């Protein structure tokens, strides 16, 4: 894979993920312009998020069935047309319908991950996935600023129209630059939809990765859902914009994920997961110090959220590297199972966080984060002990085999073949 192609795919991930998030900043402008209540205007945000979840389940598995170039180009073209229709919507109902379609088709980032994993050698897969993840993170963080700034300047329709034009431009560029790939599956569509569940049953390493991400993403969602309640409450008494300012601290993760990817290539995903889970536990303690308010508390919130963001994103990278290595012929279906579990964990974390905050306040939320990280850490340590026990048993068996074969004559050593073992993909 060339640097130019990697940069293009990273930009596509940023645009795809950003499309899900910029409507959050535009929602108040939509309500004011269309004379709708804030609650009704917020349905636009819900519609695109529901569509995105549906797209992960319904469309991402097709990445194993269809050639990537026409599939990605079609998804981006449909996203672009949907955004243009949303920008021209005469009322709230057509707008909601348009963004629901946009949410369903803007899953390019989830298709690009398995594609990139197959285009690079295994010893560079983590680094490439880290670069793609930095693009997704940048799109998520900058999308709200893009939508809010452009919307305030030119009206709520402008972000949709500009994003639609960018998506169509990317579709045209990818149609000329993406390499030709051969589908890895010929299964029918119904079988593809059922395959992620079968993979969850058949692959214990997939289940382990899903548990890690579901618990950590649940902790992440609980914190960010309840931060607004803390910052706008009596302890800090700040406005809603304070959450956005604090979120910009997470931009550091864009720099960390490429390094984490190279670390995964060197030491493997398990060690990176261990460091990330310990980081989430530590973030719970730091965030708890932020409940006291004042400058010291604000600093603790900044450090704690940064540590949580970095741990979550780098852990996701390690999990994806493990998952993509399981079945090269089913990477899109593996990614569907993994991301579905991650989003279910995030939704559950938000729900639990609000209820824990209502009964135990901010300290209770921090305890929830520690409990969720502890569950994943206990599973990780259990898996590590199991692998160590298996290695010792294999070593004992190996000594017996070596003793039994010591007196047997050795066959002549074969000559090394000078035939090429295969060409690297980049």
């Amino acid at each position: 894979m060339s640097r130019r192609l990697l940069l293009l795919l990273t930009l596509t991930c940023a645009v795809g993920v950003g499309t899900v998030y910029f409507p959050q900043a535009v929602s108040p402008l939509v309500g004011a312009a269309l004379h709708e209540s804030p609650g009704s205007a917020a349905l636009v945000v819900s519609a695109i998020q529901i569509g995105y979840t549906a797209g992960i389940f319904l469309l991402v598995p097709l990445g194993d069935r269809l050639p990537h170039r026409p599939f990605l180009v079609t998804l981006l073209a449909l996203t672009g047309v949907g955004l243009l229709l949303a920008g021209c919507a005469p009322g709230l109902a057509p707008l909601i319908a348009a963004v629901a379609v946009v949410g369903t088709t803007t899953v390019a980032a989830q298709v690009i991950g398995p594609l990139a994993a197959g285009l690079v050698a295994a010893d560079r897969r983590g680094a490439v996935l880290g670069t793609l993840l930095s693009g997704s993170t940048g799109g998520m963080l900058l999308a709200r600023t893009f939508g809010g700034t452009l919307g305030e300047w030119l009206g709520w329709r402008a972000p949709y129209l500009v994003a639609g034009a960018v998506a169509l431009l990317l579709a045209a560029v990818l149609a000329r630059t993406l390499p030709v790939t051969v589908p890895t599956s010929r299964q029918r569509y119904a079988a593809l939809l059922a395959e992620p569940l079968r993979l969850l049953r058949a692959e214990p390493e997939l289940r382990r990765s899903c548990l890690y991400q579901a618990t950590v993403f649940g902790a992440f969602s609980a914190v960010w859902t309840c931060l607004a309640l803390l910052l706008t409450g009596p302890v800090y008494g700040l406005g809603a914009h304070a959450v956005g300012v604090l979120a910009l601290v997470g931009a550091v993760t864009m720099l960390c994920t490429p390094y984490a990817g190279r670390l995964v290539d060197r030491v493997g995903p398990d060690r990176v997961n261990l460091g990330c889970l310990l980081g989430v536990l530590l973030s719970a303690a730091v965030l708890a110090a932020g409940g006291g308010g004042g400058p010291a508390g604000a600093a603790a919130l900044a450090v704690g959220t940064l540590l949580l963001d970095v741990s979550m994103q780098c852990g996701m990278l390690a999990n994806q590297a493990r998952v993509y290595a399981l079945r090269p012929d089913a990477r899109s279906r593996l990614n569907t199972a993994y991301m579905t579990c991650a989003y279910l964990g995030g939704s559950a974390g938000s729900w639990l966080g609000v209820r824990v905050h209502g009964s135990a306040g901010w300290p209770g939320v921090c305890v929830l984060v520690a409990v969720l990280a502890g569950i994943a850490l206990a599973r990780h340590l259990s898996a590590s002990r199991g692998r160590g026990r298996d290695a010792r048993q294999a070593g004992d068996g190996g000594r017996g085999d070596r003793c039994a074969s010591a007196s047997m004559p050795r066959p002549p050593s074969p000559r090394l073949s000078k035939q090429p073992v295969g060409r690297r993909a980049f």
Side-chain angles (χ1 to χ4, degrees), residues 2 38 77 93 99 174 276 289 332 368 403 411 422:
S2 66
V99 299
L174 288 176
C276 291
S332 291
L368 175 63
C403 291

Side-chain angles (χ1 to χ4, degrees), residues 38-114:
S40 298
L43 292 175
V44 175
V45 178
S46 300
I48 199 167
Q49 291 177 338
I50 292 171
Y52 188 67
T53 304
I56 290 175
F57 180 75
L58 297 174
L59 297 181
V60 172
L62 288 172
D64 292 330
R65 181 68 177 83
L66 302 175
H68 285 104
R69 183 162 66 185
F71 185 38
L72 272 172
V73 170
T74 301
L75 287 176
L76 285 168
L78 291 174
T79 299
V81 172
L83 286 167
L84 294 179
L85 290 175
C88 299
L92 185 62
L95 176 59
I96 291 174
V99 299
V101 174
V102 168
T104 304
T105 58
T106 188
V107 291
Q110 307 306 328
V111 177
I112 287 173

Side-chain angles (χ1 to χ4, degrees), residues 393-417:
Q393 292 174 352
D396 293 340
R399 284 195 297 272
D401 293 340
R402 287 192 295 270
C403 291
S405 61
S407 60
M408 297 179 62
R410 292 186 179 182
S413 299
R415 293 182 178 269
L416 293 176
S417 172

Side-chain angles (χ1 to χ4, degrees), residues 6-357:
L6 179 57
L7 178 61
L8 180 60
L9 293 178
T10 303
L11 178 61
T12 305
C13 288
V15 172
V17 173
T19 300
V20 181
Y21 288 94
F22 83 77
Q24 295 176 356
V26 181
S27 176
L29 302 176
V30 170
L34 298 180
H35 308 290
E36 300 284 350
S37 67
S40 298
L43 292 175
V44 175
V45 178
S46 300
I48 199 167
Q49 291 177 338
I50 292 171
Y52 188 67
T53 304
I56 290 175
F57 180 75
L58 297 174
L59 297 181
V60 172
L62 288 172
D64 292 330
R65 181 68 177 83
L66 302 175
H68 285 104
R69 183 162 66 185
F71 185 38
L72 272 172
V73 170
T74 301
L75 287 176
L76 285 168
L78 291 174
T79 299
V81 172
L83 286 167
L84 294 179
L85 290 175
C88 299
L92 185 62
L95 176 59
I96 291 174
V99 299
V101 174
V102 168
T104 304
T105 58
T106 188
V107 291
Q110 307 306 328
V111 177
I112 287 173
L115 164 65
L119 291 178
V120 298
D123 61 349
R124 289 207 65 236
R125 188 172 295 148
V128 169
L129 291 177
T131 302
L132 295 177
L133 184 57
S134 68
S136 298
T137 303
M140 178 178 63
L141 293 173
L142 299 178
R144 299 182 182 94
T145 303
F146 157 78
T149 302
L150 195 60
E152 290 282 357
W153 185 31
L154 297 176
W156 72 268
R157 298 180 187 273
Y160 286 98
L161 297 176
V162 172
V166 171
L168 291 176
L169 178 61
L170 279 174
V173 174
L174 288 176
R176 298 177 61 87
T177 57
L178 273 182
V180 176
T181 58
V182 179
T184 58
S185 173
R186 295 183 178 274
Q187 288 182 300
R188 294 178 180 271
Y189 180 61
L192 284 175
L193 292 184
E195 187 71 8
L197 292 176
R198 287 196 287 268
L199 288 170
L200 276 171
R201 290 196 297 268
E203 299 287 349
E205 291 294 275
L206 174 61
R207 294 195 300 271
R208 183 161 70 96
S209 299
C210 289
L211 174 65
Y212 293 169
Q213 194 60 29
T215 52
V216 173
F217 194 43
F220 175 87
S221 300
V223 167
W224 282 102
T225 300
C226 297
L227 261 177
L229 303 176
L230 175 66
L231 293 176
T232 59
V235 175
Y236 285 93
L238 300 174
H241 68 281
V243 180
V245 173
L246 189 60
L248 290 177
V249 176
V252 177
T253 58
M254 296 174 59
L255 305 176
C256 295
T257 48
Y259 171 77
R262 293 191 293 270
L263 190 62
V264 169
D265 290 333
R266 287 200 301 267
V267 304
D270 281 350
R271 292 186 181 181
V272 175
N273 272 134
L274 177 60
C276 291
L277 293 175
L278 293 174
V280 176
L281 273 177
L282 179 59
S283 74
V286 177
L287 287 168
L301 290 180
V303 174
T305 53
L306 176 59
L307 183 57
L308 178 62
D309 288 4
V310 171
S311 299
M312 191 275 291
Q313 296 283 10
C314 295
M316 173 181 284
L317 178 61
N319 291 328
Q320 285 182 320
R322 182 187 299 108
V323 167
Y324 289 156
L326 294 175
R327 290 270 304 274
D329 62 317
R331 287 191 173 113
S332 291
R333 286 163 285 174
L334 288 165
N335 195 44
T336 297
Y338 172 74
M339 293 304 300
T340 300
C341 291
Y343 274 93
L344 288 175
S347 301
S350 296
W351 184 84
L352 281 172
V354 172
R355 278 145 188 82
V356 169
H357 187 274

